[in-house]
Amino acid sequence: MIAKPSRSTRKANWWLTVNIKVRVAATVYLIYGILVYWPILIGKRFFWEDFFIQEYPIREFCFYTLGLRHTIPFWNPFSWAWSLLLSDAQTAFWYPCNLLEIAITHLIFPTIKHLPILVPETVTLLHLPLAALGVFYLLRNQFKASGIIALIAGITFGFGARMVAEQNHPMEILQLSLLPWEVLLTMISWKSLRGAIGLGLLFGISFLAGQPQTFLLIALFLGTFTLWETTRRALERNSKQSTIQPLFHLATAFFVATGVAAIQFLPLLELTQLSARQHLSYLDASMGSMHPFRFISFFVPKFFGEFPGYLMPKNVDRSNGMWYWEGTFYWGVLAEILALFGIIRLWSRRKSSDPRARYVGFFVAFSIFAVAYSMGSYTGVQWLFWKFIPIFDHIRMPNRMLWFVWFLGSLATAFGLEELIREPQLLQTYKRYFYWSSAIFILLNAL
């Protein structure tokens, strides 16, 4: 029997019962984003690297062809020697927000000849509060977290170091911002065919957002999550219909997504067979393997500095001198300590009906898999996928699987924070855990 909180405890935690509406959370995240990124919004700062090499030239050419010439950009004569544009998923031409930015810019400034750089930058930045709002709504809707806790956890994902590191790769931002909404609809689809159709529509749109590798990893994540739920239902001896329903609905969602994305997916299949991506050697596919030393970035995001190639062992990782942002998965000292605390607290209740504890086993299992896969050539897990699983021989950068550790960690942060606030005496009970975890962070930062 669990003792009820005392009257004084309930009174101290009254703010946990405050109902925060979605529009209020959206406003908070939008204001937060403006406060952080205002130099970009007024033209004092700008995106860098791939944004000016790839993203902006594509957006500008699409604006010219569609907005001014009213034609479809099948080819791009200004980049990479007349490269294919419309059939390349990396261009994200069909993504609704990219089409909308062309239409709005043309309507507001009918005589303008070039797409303002601020337009694609703003569209990218607007996806950060969208990502945070997705985590907020997911925690409130499926994990029954309190409003304040969900609001805080949204910031750790939507405005975390991983998002900041990818801001010059807008297509990555788009994919990651849709991830919590896809997980939300996946969990709804387990019980509702309407949810499955909604997931299919959103998932198809996410394919149009570019970065097919990220899309593939998200599909693997959603499929594994659904398989976990199916197995859980089987162990609980649910009816046969209830047990297979999640898998059936996920298959329906993927079928709908294929139809939505067909305009981009079918040309991509043909193009891939004619490109260098037809089959990557494992040397190329494992490029970006997470070196064991780089896991320190979970504790100190810039431990190796701006250019870690100078501090990492040579001839160990082909990407020593580049991709340094790819190895950053930190989402906050206190947030990470609370995430692990939440996992520890909920582990003993993982067989209960508590929506937070129900999936803690999946959180741990997939995180372990993600770490093993991310290490690429150091563990061999990625090699198994490259060798035996279709399509995985077309992609590289295995460290990107760690995105899901960061995502699940953001959710677990909410679990740990809520456990601690609802039962403040746990701070004394687990004082050794908090002492040691804090000491480790302080020591690594001192180094």
Side-chain angles (χ1 to χ4, degrees), residues 59-368:
R59 300 279 75 81
E60 159 72 0
F61 183 65
C62 291
F63 175 79
Y64 168 76
T65 55
L66 187 61
L68 302 183
R69 300 299 300 271
H70 310 297
T71 59
I72 300 295
F74 291 101
W75 305 86
N76 187 348
F78 301 110
S79 298
W80 298 305
W82 283 85
S83 63
L84 297 167
L85 190 144
L86 201 61
S87 56
D88 184 358
Q90 288 284 79
T91 62
F93 173 80
W94 295 110
Y95 184 59
C97 289
N98 290 337
L99 294 175
L100 192 61
E101 73 181 32
I102 295 175
I104 292 177
T105 303
H106 187 64
L107 288 174
I108 296 178
F109 307 103
T111 60
I112 199 169
K113 301 300 182 183
H114 297 280
L115 181 70
I117 294 174
L118 186 59
V119 173
E121 287 178 332
T122 302
V123 170
T124 302
L125 293 177
L126 286 175
H127 280 75
L128 302 184
L130 178 65
L133 187 63
V135 168
F136 168 84
Y137 196 68
L138 173 62
L139 286 168
R140 288 296 309 274
N141 185 279
Q142 295 297 318
F143 295 100
K144 309 307 177 186
S146 64
I148 295 293
I149 300 297
L151 192 71
I152 295 172
I155 292 178
T156 65
F157 180 77
F159 296 93
R162 180 75 258 142
M163 285 291 195
V164 174
E166 294 291 350
Q167 66 186 20
N168 56 308
H169 305 125
M171 283 175 278
E172 299 284 18
I173 296 293
L174 306 187
Q175 288 284 2
L176 293 174
S177 67
L178 296 178
L179 173 60
W181 296 99
E182 290 163 347
V183 174
L184 170 68
L185 287 173
T186 297
M187 298 180 74
I188 293 175
S189 73
W190 295 340
K191 300 178 181 179
S192 166
L193 183 59
R194 182 180 299 179
I197 295 173
L199 172 62
L201 293 174
L202 180 61
F203 204 45
I205 290 173
S206 73
F207 183 83
L208 302 178
Q211 274 298 335
Q213 172 180 342
T214 307
F215 175 87
L216 177 63
L217 297 182
I218 292 175
L220 174 66
F221 175 76
L222 299 181
T224 307
F225 195 18
T226 301
L227 183 61
W228 180 280
E229 172 67 11
T230 301
T231 304
R232 177 72 184 261
R233 292 187 181 192
L235 294 175
E236 293 173 343
R237 299 184 183 279
N238 289 354
S239 66
K240 185 176 181 180
Q241 179 180 355
S242 175
T243 299
I244 66 172
Q245 183 172 281
L247 286 177
F248 176 75
H249 284 182
L250 184 68
T252 301
F254 283 177
F255 178 79
V256 173
T258 302
V260 173
I263 194 171
Q264 184 72 78
F265 180 64
L266 295 178
L268 177 67
L269 288 180
E270 181 180 359
L271 176 64
T272 302
Q273 300 305 314
L274 303 174
S275 72
R277 292 277 183 154
Q278 180 181 8
H279 175 74
L280 294 177
S281 68
Y282 187 63
L283 183 65
D284 289 327
S286 63
M287 182 179 182
S289 297
M290 191 73 175
H291 189 280
F293 289 171
R294 287 192 177 181
F295 282 97
I296 201 172
S297 69
F298 273 101
F299 307 93
V300 189
K302 287 191 176 182
F303 185 88
F304 295 109
E306 293 287 351
F307 193 77
Y310 293 120
L311 296 177
M312 295 287 287
K314 301 300 180 184
N315 302 320
V316 175
D317 185 351
R318 287 186 63 201
S319 57
N320 276 344
M322 58 191 300
W323 315 114
Y324 55 87
W325 61 83
E326 294 276 3
T328 300
F329 299 93
Y330 169 90
W331 70 91
V333 173
L334 183 57
E336 293 179 14
I337 291 175
L338 288 172
L340 183 56
F341 172 72
I343 296 294
I344 293 172
R345 279 289 297 169
L346 296 175
W347 183 257
S348 61
R349 308 202 302 267
R350 63 188 182 278
K351 295 183 179 180
S352 69
S353 59
D354 183 343
R356 300 173 305 154
R358 180 179 178 86
Y359 302 107
V360 69
F362 173 76
F363 280 32
V364 173
F366 197 90
S367 295
I368 293 173

